Amino acid sequence: MSTSRIKAVVEEMITPFLSENGFELVDIEYVKEGSNWFLRVFVDKDGGIDIDECGRISEYLSERLDENDPVSDAYFLEVSSPGAERPLKKPEDVSKAVGKQVCVTTYEPIDGLKEFEGPLLSFDGETVSVQVGRKSHSIPYAKVASARLAIVF
């Protein structure tokens, strides 16, 4: 089964449980590191997620994976918080981040830059506006390669 199909099957398995329990699926990774495969599920909720909640989600998902067996290779299952620099994967994630510090990278230079770090001023579904220094940059959402929350020190 392909990596994208495994991710889709896992998402289908876990989403109802997460929704019923007030959690949000942030991302799923199925990656090979060295000789080992890792299935990583990143989950969050308002106010953050703790280790006991990650354990409960991991137990639920592990049981579903054992029943359905969508992954033929041996792998390690990891369920965790996305961390303080949470990725903004979906348009809804970007909308929720308005007013927060972000780091946005683009596929090609815009205004001579490919990385924009600063407050997210707005997002209308088509354009991301980020303040970098004294200048505001309007970035077409289709040109965003990645976006994440950023920590200011």
Side-chain angles (χ1 to χ4, degrees):
M1 189 179 289
S2 72
T3 299
S4 59
R5 182 71 188 126
I6 289 169
K7 289 166 60 174
V9 167
V10 171
E11 182 173 353
E12 193 174 302
M13 277 183 204
I14 194 74
T15 299
F17 177 81
L18 295 176
S19 296
E20 290 168 14
N21 291 282
F23 299 111
E24 171 193 2
L25 178 62
V26 175
D27 198 10
I28 298 172
E29 292 181 348
Y30 183 62
V31 295
K32 188 169 188 177
E33 294 178 1
S35 61
N36 297 313
W37 282 94
F38 292 86
L39 177 58
R40 294 189 176 110
V41 179
F42 298 95
V43 182
D44 208 356
K45 71 172 187 179
D46 288 339
I49 189 166
D50 65 35
I51 195 161
D52 293 332
E53 292 167 323
C54 288
R56 199 170 103 222
I57 295 164
S58 180
E59 286 177 26
Y60 173 85
L61 182 56
S62 182
E63 289 174 12
R64 298 295 91 62
L65 289 166
D66 288 346
E67 289 169 7
N68 298 298
D69 202 21
V71 184
S72 57
D73 299 311
Y75 62 93
F76 294 96
L77 174 63
E78 297 177 353
V79 175
S80 69
S81 159
E85 293 192 332
R86 171 195 169 129
L88 305 172
K89 293 285 196 171
K90 302 172 278 212
E92 303 84 52
D93 298 336
V94 178
S95 291
K96 287 182 197 174
V98 170
K100 297 179 180 171
Q101 287 287 123
V102 297
C103 180
V104 175
T105 59
T106 57
Y107 291 113
E108 59 191 51
I110 296 170
D111 298 336
L113 301 171
K114 287 184 75 175
E115 184 172 301
F116 304 82
E117 188 163 332
L120 177 60
L121 301 174
S122 65
F123 176 60
D124 63 8
E126 300 284 324
T127 304
V128 176
S129 181
V130 179
Q131 181 84 28
V132 179
R134 293 186 172 158
K135 186 168 192 252
S136 172
H137 298 272
S138 293
I139 305 160
Y141 187 63
K143 301 211 182 224
V144 172
S146 68
R148 63 173 170 77
L149 294 178
I151 297 175
V152 178
F153 293 99

